[in-house]
Amino acid sequence: MNFLAHQYLSGDSEKVKIGNFIGDYIKGNKYKDYHPEIQKGILLHRNIDHFTDHHPIVLQSSNRLKNGYKRYSGVIVDMIYDHFLAKKWNKYHTQPISSFVSKSHEILVKNYLILPQKVKLFLPFLIQSRRLESYSTIDGLQTALKIMSRRTSLPDQTDYAIKTLLDQYDDIETEFDCFMSALISYVSNEHQIIVATPYDWHLNEEKRITKL
């Protein structure tokens, strides 16, 4: 999952949120250099990534993008899933997305000095662009993909990714909803993280499970 989902799945602890945000940038046992709650967030990040990368629904979504992205297709699915999370935010969280993102920015700035150097470098742009909530639109997702292709080893296949998403939008959205249900349950049961899902979400989940 990408930045927005990791913050969403961190619960209320500021330190867990920090750890979950920087998880990709802390290698090996370096996590032990941090506060215990930040350590918890880093390990949560790693476990979320492992759960995601091996889940059959995510692999199904990834296969839709294999032709253009090969081994990078999972990275694109992470970003597409963040698109659906941002777009459908009110279904998944009790707080408006703009408020949630602003609070996330506030926490990161307040703890700026302990962030890894790579995070310090991109954080100002991430805040200025409101990247986390910009995923809610196709244009915002497209911009993020273009930036990624310029600054990382991600292939420059943005047009292919957007076309694939639009052509199979309903199917990928269904996969996202099913996977998020499983992921929220995993984080709740295995890591004792309380995700602030609306009451209606639980009712809808009960109905969906009953139909299955």
Side-chain angles (χ1 to χ4, degrees):
M1 303 301 285
N2 212 11
F3 285 127
L4 180 62
H6 278 291
Q7 288 297 283
Y8 167 70
L9 295 164
S10 294
D12 293 330
S13 169
E14 290 192 4
K15 287 184 168 59
V16 171
K17 285 179 179 289
I18 295 165
N20 207 344
F21 189 85
I22 66 176
D24 279 336
Y25 303 91
I26 309 298
K27 305 303 181 185
N29 289 330
K30 289 291 186 182
Y31 75 93
K32 294 181 180 179
D33 296 339
Y34 291 86
H35 183 282
E37 281 291 288
I38 296 179
Q39 291 183 30
K40 180 179 178 180
I42 294 169
L43 295 177
L44 173 64
H45 183 108
R46 294 179 182 180
N47 288 331
I48 287 172
D49 281 356
H50 184 271
F51 182 85
T52 300
D53 291 344
H54 295 83
H55 199 282
I57 294 176
V58 178
L59 294 176
Q60 184 172 312
S61 295
S62 297
N63 284 334
R64 300 179 186 277
L65 294 143
K66 283 286 187 185
N67 288 339
Y69 282 100
K70 310 300 182 189
R71 64 190 178 92
Y72 292 98
S73 60
V75 176
I76 307 305
V77 170
D78 284 346
M79 297 177 73
I80 288 174
Y81 277 14
D82 256 20
H83 159 68
F84 284 116
L85 179 58
K87 176 193 168 191
K88 308 175 74 168
W89 184 260
N90 290 340
K91 172 184 175 181
Y92 283 99
H93 204 284
T94 55
Q95 186 179 24
I97 189 169
S98 59
S99 301
F100 179 88
V101 170
S102 292
K103 182 62 177 178
S104 296
H105 292 167
E106 178 186 322
I107 292 169
L108 292 166
V109 170
K110 187 168 66 175
N111 293 274
Y112 183 82
L113 293 179
I114 66 171
L115 300 178
Q117 185 60 27
K118 287 185 177 179
V119 177
K120 288 179 179 177
L121 291 174
F122 73 72
L123 184 61
F125 174 76
L126 181 133
I127 292 174
Q128 182 181 14
S129 65
R130 304 286 297 185
R131 172 72 68 80
L132 298 186
E133 60 185 304
S134 74
Y135 283 116
S136 64
T137 67
I138 295 296
D139 286 345
L141 175 63
Q142 187 172 33
T143 297
L145 287 168
K146 287 180 178 178
I147 292 171
M148 286 279 288
S149 66
R150 288 199 302 267
R151 298 184 178 180
T152 70
S153 57
L154 189 73
D156 186 8
Q157 294 283 353
T158 300
D159 290 344
Y160 165 82
I162 296 300
K163 184 178 187 306
T164 301
L165 172 61
L166 293 177
D167 287 348
Q168 305 180 54
Y169 199 87
D170 290 345
D171 291 334
I172 299 175
E173 183 174 8
T174 298
E175 289 166 0
F176 163 78
D177 283 327
C178 290
F179 173 67
M180 279 304 296
S181 175
L183 183 55
I184 291 169
S185 295
Y186 167 74
V187 168
S188 174
N189 296 331
E190 299 298 324
H191 295 275
Q192 291 73 55
I193 298 290
I194 298 175
V195 181
T197 48
Y199 179 66
D200 287 351
W201 182 84
H202 295 281
L203 293 178
N204 291 333
E205 278 305 290
E206 290 176 4
K207 290 178 182 178
R208 187 183 69 81
I209 292 171
T210 300
K211 288 180 180 178
L212 294 176

